[in-house]
């Protein structure tokens, strides 16, 4: 049986496919993905991209398009935060309760859970899609698949640059 969340996820995935076909630049796609996920998925309260700064040594994640409140973390190194953990490991990180994760860098007092999914370009991490929720354990396996799907589309578009 389809749950309400499954239905929302299915709708969001279709909307992202439409967005992909109607945009030509990675910039427009990334902006559209943040808007769409923030508006469509009710527990996705902050949605944004951090991209690796070109040529930076040591590597640095820089805030790109986002929806939600301004964050104090506009530049994050790879050994900081959940964001750094996802980028350095090249793996999706889901944190069900941010207060229990010592890596967590606070962005808003309202944030309870977080997901960070790397964006790969030609097999290498180029950035990541970060989502915060005001709800504990907001990100199910299905949510994880949706966010990974969005990140993969952005990687695919970036490969065409
Ligand atoms: N919480 C993130 C920092 C970015 S803000 O959530 C927008 C982290 O721990 O890396």
């Amino acid at each position: 049986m389809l749950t309400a969340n499954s239905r929302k996820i299915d709708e969001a995935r279709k909307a992202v496919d439409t967005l992909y076909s109607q945009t030509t630049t990675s910039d427009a796609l990334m902006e559209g993905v943040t808007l769409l996920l923030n508006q469509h998925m009710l527990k996705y309260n902050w949605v944004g991209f951090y991209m690796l700064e070109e040529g930076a040594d040591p590597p640095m994640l820089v805030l790109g398009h986002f929806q939600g409140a301004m964050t104090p973390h506009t530049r994050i190194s790879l050994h900081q935060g959940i964001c750094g953990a996802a980028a350095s490991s090249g793996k999706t990180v889901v944190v069900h309760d941010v207060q229990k994760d010592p890596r967590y860098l606070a962005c808003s007092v309202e944030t309870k859970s977080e997901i960070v999914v790397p964006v790969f370009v030609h097999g290498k991490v180029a950035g990541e899609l970060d989502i915060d929720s005001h709800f504990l354990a907001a990100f199910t396996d299905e949510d994880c698949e949706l966010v990974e799907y969005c990140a993969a589309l952005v990687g695919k578009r970036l490969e065409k640059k």
Side-chain angles (χ1 to χ4, degrees):
M1 198 186 83
L2 273 184
T3 63
N5 196 45
S6 308
R7 265 198 298 275
K8 284 301 249 183
I9 285 174
D10 200 42
E11 285 167 18
R13 190 187 281 256
K14 286 181 182 136
V16 170
D17 283 339
T18 304
L19 176 72
Y20 187 81
S21 66
Q22 290 178 348
T23 52
T24 53
T25 66
S26 51
D27 207 44
L29 178 62
M30 287 193 272
E31 183 175 29
V33 164
T34 62
L35 268 167
L36 193 154
L37 291 180
N38 183 233
Q39 287 171 1
H40 204 89
M41 301 301 296
L42 300 179
K43 293 186 179 178
Y44 294 15
N45 304 108
W46 189 97
V47 182
F49 284 93
Y50 283 93
M51 301 308 287
L52 281 173
E53 193 168 41
E54 267 179 50
D57 187 18
M60 188 63 70
L61 292 159
V62 179
L63 182 64
H65 287 290
F66 72 95
Q67 305 297 321
M70 186 56 195
T71 169
H73 304 293
T74 54
R75 296 172 66 82
I76 301 176
S77 75
L78 293 202
H79 54 81
Q80 285 181 303
I82 314 293
C83 286
S88 56
S89 65
K91 292 203 163 65
T92 295
V93 181
V94 179
V95 178
H96 295 307
D97 182 351
V98 293
Q99 288 310 324
K100 293 190 177 147
D101 194 317
R103 299 170 298 180
Y104 175 64
L105 293 173
C107 165
S108 149
V109 287
E110 289 177 300
T111 298
K112 302 277 196 307
S113 59
E114 179 163 7
I115 181 171
V116 187
V117 173
V119 171
F120 292 94
V121 175
H122 299 302
K124 285 190 181 159
V125 175
E128 59 195 21
L129 178 50
D130 177 17
I131 305 180
D132 292 352
S133 179
H134 297 172
F135 299 84
L136 281 170
F139 305 105
T140 64
D141 289 350
E142 280 179 307
D143 288 279
C144 208
E145 280 170 28
L146 170 67
V147 184
E148 285 176 347
Y149 184 73
C150 294
L153 282 185
V154 169
K156 190 169 139 189
R157 175 62 50 80
L158 282 165
E159 285 179 357
K160 296 198 172 130
K161 243 199 338 196

